[in-house]
Amino acid sequence: MSGSKKKKITKADRLRQIQEEEEKRQKEEEEARVKYEKEEMERLEIQRIENEKLQKLEAKDLERRNEELEELYLLEACFPEAEKLKRDDRFLSQWKHYIQCDGSPDPSIAQEMNTFITLWKEEANETLEEVIEKSKLVLNLIEKLKLILLETPPYDLQRKNIIQYQGSILELQELLHLKFNRATEILLRQASTLADLDSGNMEKVIQDENVTLYIWANLKKNPRHRSIRFSETQTGFEIPRMLATSDIALRLLHTHYDHVTPLSPVLTPSQEHVSLVTDFVKEEVKSVQTAVSKDLQEENKQQENESNSVHEEETKAEEQGDVEEQTCPVQEEPETTKYEMEMKLLSQTVSAAQELLLENACEKPYFLEEDEVDLCQFTTLGGVYHLDILELPPQCKPMKGWMIVEILKEGLQKYTYPPETTEDLETENVFPPIEVMLEVHENVIFFENPMVARWDAEGKHWKTDGISNVSYKSEERLITFNLETFCPVTLIQDAHINMPFQSWELIPLDVNKVLLTVTTVFTELQIQIKENLCMLASIKVNNKKHSSILEEKWMTPVSFIIALKNAGLNIFPTGHSHLYVVINYKHPSVEVKAYRQMALLSSAFAFCWSKWNTVCDSKKTIFQVREHLLKEESIQNPNWTLLMFSGDRAQSLKINESSDAFSEALKEETEFHSTLYHMVKDFASQEAMREVRRSNCQFVDSVCHMLLSTRLLSYS
């Protein structure tokens, strides 16, 4: 019994066991503490070495900063040079127009435009065909005026010039529409002679590259003829009984341009910007004048000392020669100084204009009424459909070999539907809406079903009320809707439907030629840029090849941007876009510097989007770069370098695109630099750097303009 019992642990044994456990725990803690301290010391030592290394690299970067910035300044001289070439081109085009003497006015000269408008106003009895032919010149003048406003740097545009150009645009637009109305009246007077043999009504369709005109005159007033379809088209109307029995004409004037929407405000610098540029210029002029006067004084003193040391007899004999020799440098110096001052001023003007392109507005420019279309968020596409119900004018009558016609003094009159006074009748039942069927312009892309908006003439804006039962057949490109009353209508689409971008890439193709690829949710655009021209190389919609009238057409950057927007391919943010799109905001000064230096390097280096750009703060940008020489074959998995650029410092990052976490750690065996140019110079070949230095100034400027216009670093 006693053997089977467990041996009792004595109090002394228990105390000894506890003591042993405590000693063991203390020993483990001590070992852990020693290990931690050792590791911490090692970590601190590594950190100290790293910090010392970084400090040395920062000191080295600071030491050569001025030298690098001076070299960059010389390279960036291509921007003012390109701007000077643009100015020269503008003057040259004015001169060519002057010596051409083709009878068309110079749109930039107010007197010529006023004369042209006055003379055209006096022309009477023009047919629709004549007006359409004349409209080609008018539309060309309007386009030229708009390009002047868009292509001229904001700091070169005077307020009076902006008012003059916009005034000329509005006058031409109003006069063109007036001419269409008068020509329509002339046609409708002859409606009875042009009547269709089957229906007894007149129907006419006139198609041109800029307008399509549909006219239907109700001569028979048959109450059963309520469905109107224009021959060989899907365009038509379903009219109520009241209109089918009235003396009316229906006109649909589809202008492929938009002369209804108010003109966009011209981008102008604030007074603060103007004063900054002015102060800079004053300082530059002062410093240059001081430097020149010092140089001239030193040169004169040196020449005096030399002339005093020469023998008097020789001095008399060579006095005339000395005067001539002294005169040459004095005369040449101001010319050189003048050019330097001009280029410095131009350089600062261009830089300020570039930063102005990236300015974000703080709020919307105006307060919206109920159902008003926000033109900062939406854009009109496919032109304007001018829908009018017109009173049928008195018809021509043959009499003894003559055509007699009564001409109304008030001209062409609109028929009011529904009537203004309805005597408390139920308007919807008595005056039902008119069903309209319109063909959508073939050169416009809608990524979603378009919305229909009508023009409110009183409020001078587009509205979405008064329109119902909208139906869109994308394959047939036919839109049907009910309209309470006839007025100008247009189709609208979200201007930011392709923003933000999913990715982008900029790759050299040839000498002074690159390919910019922008991928969005719906489309992939490939844009070629060479010298001062851009071209749409290809477009994919929902991963399928799509043909566009813009493909293979070279245009200047500004004209190209306008053309893409008009086609529904808007990838160009405005100052208000950030209010409608979630963006990855980058500071404008950092963006401008990045785009300018990327453009400088674009002839020999490829650039690409990086996912880490969304992680870093607003004063830093991150993108991928690699050398890309033309003779190289396409690489399946190219080796990209990840660069971080803050505007003042560029560095190569240790992480890559497939890393799990973000880190700003510097890549091993690399250094800090003040510019992208010197950063890539560390790993680039001499041939690549030679290509960069040989880049055409207009090409670099065009690439930079496209990067500034797309704002890839903020909108990707």
Side-chain angles (χ1 to χ4, degrees):
M1 292 289 292
S2 61
S4 63
K5 290 182 180 179
K6 292 182 178 179
K7 186 178 180 181
K8 289 184 179 180
I9 300 174
T10 62
K11 189 175 182 181
D13 291 339
R14 188 178 297 161
L15 286 173
R16 186 171 64 254
Q17 187 178 355
I18 292 172
Q19 188 176 359
E20 286 175 356
E21 288 176 357
E22 180 65 21
E23 288 175 357
K24 185 179 179 182
R25 185 184 63 79
Q26 288 179 356
K27 185 179 179 182
E28 287 176 352
E29 285 181 357
E30 180 64 19
E31 287 175 352
R33 185 186 64 80
V34 171
K35 184 181 179 182
Y36 171 76
E37 287 180 355
K38 184 180 179 182
E39 288 176 351
E40 184 66 13
M41 287 178 66
E42 288 175 354
R43 187 188 66 80
L44 290 173
E45 181 63 18
I46 292 170
Q47 187 176 346
R48 185 187 65 78
I49 294 169
E50 286 293 322
N51 287 340
E52 283 183 2
K53 185 180 177 182
L54 285 176
Q55 286 174 4
K56 287 178 181 178
L57 290 174
E58 286 173 356
K60 188 176 180 181
D61 176 38
L62 194 63
E63 185 180 342
R64 64 189 175 199
R65 178 176 176 77
N66 290 337
E67 183 183 338
E68 289 186 349
L69 291 178
E70 283 175 11
E71 190 173 355
L72 177 67
Y73 178 78
L74 293 175
L75 289 168
E76 289 188 336
C78 63
F79 293 111
E81 284 174 14
E83 186 57 42
K84 193 172 186 303
L85 286 173
K86 287 183 202 172
R87 287 184 178 180
D88 294 342
D89 285 342
R90 287 195 287 269
F91 291 136
L92 184 61
S93 63
Q94 284 184 324
W95 173 247
K96 283 181 178 178
H97 181 274
Y98 175 75
I99 61 175
Q100 198 171 4
C101 297
D102 59 356
S104 63
D106 184 336
S108 63
I109 300 175
Q111 295 88 340
E112 291 190 23
M113 288 301 297
N114 292 336
T115 303
F116 173 80
I117 291 168
T118 303
L119 290 175
W120 196 30
K121 280 181 181 177
E122 293 172 357
E123 291 181 25
N125 300 323
E126 291 174 288
T127 64
L128 279 166
E129 288 78 8
E130 289 172 338
V131 172
I132 288 173
E133 188 61 33
K134 189 66 171 280
S135 71
K136 293 175 183 177
L137 171 59
V138 175
L139 293 173
N140 185 40
L141 292 172
I142 291 171
E143 185 182 355
K144 283 182 178 179
L145 285 165
K146 287 182 177 179
L147 283 176
I148 290 172
L149 290 170
L150 290 170
E151 289 184 338
T152 308
Y155 296 90
D156 286 350
L157 272 177
Q158 295 183 15
R159 185 65 190 162
K160 63 177 183 179
N161 295 125
I162 295 174
I163 294 170
Q164 173 199 322
Y165 300 150
Q166 289 187 330
S168 295
I169 291 170
L170 292 173
E171 278 193 84
L172 288 171
Q173 290 177 348
E174 291 171 7
L175 182 55
L176 180 58
H177 196 68
L178 177 65
K179 288 289 183 178
F180 273 117
N181 286 343
R182 288 179 179 173
T184 301
E185 182 184 3
I186 292 170
L187 177 67
L188 288 176
R189 287 185 203 142
Q190 309 165 30
S192 57
T193 64
L194 301 170
D196 180 64
L197 294 175
D198 295 330
S199 66
N201 297 318
M202 188 210 81
E203 176 191 309
K204 193 171 180 69
V205 178
I206 303 175
Q207 288 187 319
D208 183 71
E209 59 182 314
N210 299 314
V211 296
T212 306
L213 183 67
Y214 306 86
I215 298 180
W216 177 81
N218 190 16
L219 299 171
K220 284 295 182 181
K221 295 182 278 297
N222 185 347
R224 289 177 296 179
H225 194 163
R226 296 167 57 182
S227 182
I228 302 162
R229 293 290 185 280
F230 291 94
S231 58
E232 298 181 3
T233 72
Q234 300 182 81
T235 301
F237 311 99
E238 290 287 338
I239 60 174
R241 182 184 178 88
M242 176 186 174
L243 293 179
T245 57
S246 299
D247 247 348
I248 60 158
L250 300 179
R251 182 185 71 172
L252 165 56
L253 173 61
H254 178 202
T255 58
H256 303 168
Y257 48 82
D258 180 2
H259 285 178
V260 176
T261 305
L263 297 175
S264 302
V266 177
L267 194 66
T268 52
S270 62
Q271 194 59 41
E272 182 183 353
H273 272 96
V274 174
S275 61
L276 283 171
V277 175
T278 307
D279 292 343
F280 173 84
V281 173
K282 286 180 179 177
E283 287 297 321
E284 288 295 325
V285 170
K286 188 177 178 181
S287 62
V288 170
Q289 286 177 342
T290 305
V292 169
S293 61
K294 283 182 179 179
D295 289 344
L296 290 175
Q297 286 174 7
E298 289 177 5
E299 190 176 339
N300 289 334
K301 284 181 180 179
Q302 186 178 355
Q303 288 173 353
E304 276 182 28
N305 293 334
E306 287 177 0
S307 62
N308 288 334
S309 64
V310 179
H311 196 271
E312 288 182 3
E313 292 179 0
E314 291 179 354
T315 305
K316 287 179 182 179
E318 297 172 2
E319 185 175 356
Q320 188 64 32
D322 288 341
V323 172
E324 290 176 0
E325 287 174 12
Q326 290 178 19
T327 306
C328 293
V330 173
Q331 288 177 342
E332 288 173 5
E333 192 67 33
E335 288 298 321
T336 308
T337 306
K338 183 181 177 183
Y339 177 78
E340 288 177 358
M341 287 169 59
E342 180 188 1
M343 296 310 287
K344 282 186 178 180
L345 170 59
L346 207 51
S347 177
Q348 185 65 13
T349 303
V350 169
S351 297
Q354 288 173 341
E355 284 200 29
L356 194 62
L357 277 174
L358 303 186
E359 270 194 3
N360 287 335
C362 299
E363 57 186 13
K364 297 178 184 179
Y366 49 82
F367 177 76
L368 297 174
E369 293 183 10
E370 188 177 0
D371 297 317
E372 181 183 349
V373 175
D374 184 356
L375 291 176
C376 291
Q377 182 179 5
F378 295 94
T379 182
T380 63
L381 285 178
V384 176
Y385 300 85
H386 297 266
L387 295 165
D388 296 295
I389 307 174
L390 305 169
E391 293 182 4
L392 203 58
Q395 296 299 293
C396 295
K397 295 178 182 178
M399 188 176 291
K400 296 180 181 180
W402 293 82
M403 293 297 290
I404 306 300
V405 62
E406 179 187 354
I407 298 176
L408 300 177
K409 186 178 179 181
E410 58 270 17
L412 194 64
Q413 295 296 303
K414 290 189 177 182
Y415 183 93
T416 305
Y417 179 87
E420 293 178 359
T421 56
T422 57
E423 299 178 359
D424 299 326
L425 297 172
E426 291 185 17
T427 309
E428 289 186 11
N429 296 328
V430 181
F431 307 107
I434 304 165
E435 185 178 342
V436 182
M437 286 143 284
L438 301 176
E439 291 180 352
V440 177
H441 197 293
E442 62 182 354
N443 296 329
V444 175
I445 298 175
F446 284 96
F447 296 99
E448 293 178 343
N449 288 352
M451 294 182 285
V452 184
R454 66 171 185 87
W455 179 248
D456 182 355
E458 187 178 346
K460 302 291 183 188
H461 48 235
W462 294 104
K463 299 190 77 174
T464 54
D465 61 341
I467 300 164
S468 58
N469 298 337
V470 180
S471 171
Y472 179 60
K473 297 177 181 177
S474 57
E475 291 184 3
E476 299 175 33
R477 298 188 69 82
L478 182 70
I479 191 162
T480 306
F481 55 91
N482 290 348
L483 197 60
E484 290 180 4
T485 183
F486 266 23
C487 56
V489 298
T490 190
L491 306 181
I492 59 175
Q493 179 174 257
D494 186 350
H496 309 98
I497 197 165
N498 284 311
M499 302 178 204
F501 316 130
Q502 291 187 321
S503 64
W504 59 269
E505 195 173 48
L506 183 70
I507 297 179
L509 288 180
D510 204 341
V511 179
N512 294 318
K513 188 175 182 180
V514 296
L515 180 71
L516 173 62
T517 303
V518 180
T519 305
T520 73
V521 174
F522 295 101
T523 183
E524 180 189 273
L525 292 175
Q526 289 194 329
I527 300 166
Q528 286 188 19
I529 307 168
K530 70 171 184 180
E531 296 178 354
N532 62 334
L533 299 170
C534 300
M535 179 191 76
L536 181 62
S538 74
I539 172 174
K540 288 182 182 177
V541 177
N542 296 324
N543 295 320
K544 293 180 181 178
K545 173 73 176 166
H546 182 88
S547 60
S548 170
I549 194 173
L550 298 178
E551 288 181 276
E552 306 301 323
K553 288 187 177 179
W554 290 100
M555 292 175 265
T556 61
V558 173
S559 299
F560 178 74
I561 290 169
I562 294 171
L564 277 190
K565 285 182 176 181
N566 291 339
L569 300 169
N570 184 19
I571 54 168
F572 308 101
T574 66
H576 296 95
S577 294
H578 67 286
L579 300 173
Y580 308 97
V581 182
V582 178
I583 69 167
N584 177 30
Y585 175 75
K586 299 298 176 184
H587 197 277
S589 64
V590 176
E591 263 195 287
V592 169
K593 288 178 180 178
Y595 296 145
R596 283 167 68 99
Q597 294 181 41
M598 285 164 68
L600 281 170
L601 297 165
S602 62
S603 57
F605 293 87
F607 294 89
C608 179
W609 166 88
S610 169
K611 67 179 182 182
W612 301 118
N613 188 47
T614 58
V615 180
C616 61
D617 61 51
S618 62
K619 292 187 178 180
K620 294 171 184 175
T621 61
I622 296 177
F623 44 84
Q624 300 179 78
V625 63
R626 67 182 175 89
E627 185 179 311
H628 186 97
L629 293 176
L630 304 178
K631 65 180 182 181
E632 294 177 356
E633 296 181 3
S634 58
I635 305 169
Q636 292 294 331
N637 297 306
N639 186 22
W640 294 93
T641 299
L642 203 62
L643 292 187
M644 184 169 72
F645 183 58
S646 66
D648 298 320
R649 173 174 289 175
Q651 69 179 79
S652 183
L653 296 180
K654 191 174 184 178
I655 59 171
N656 55 41
E657 201 63 16
S658 57
S659 298
D660 295 328
F662 175 69
S663 170
E664 292 188 6
L666 186 69
K667 188 177 181 180
E668 294 174 0
E669 298 181 0
T670 63
E671 299 179 353
F672 295 120
H673 285 280
S674 299
T675 73
L676 288 178
Y677 173 82
H678 294 91
M679 185 72 246
V680 300
K681 195 176 179 181
D682 279 357
F683 59 80
S685 65
Q686 291 184 0
E687 187 180 351
M689 301 316 292
R690 277 197 300 271
E691 286 294 323
V692 169
R693 287 189 289 272
R694 286 202 296 259
S695 296
N696 177 280
C697 66
Q698 288 182 306
F699 160 75
V700 173
D701 183 69
S702 296
V703 174
C704 183
H705 186 87
M706 199 54 60
L707 293 175
L708 288 164
S709 300
T710 50
R711 296 193 65 178
L712 300 172
L713 294 173
S714 282
Y715 280 80
S716 294

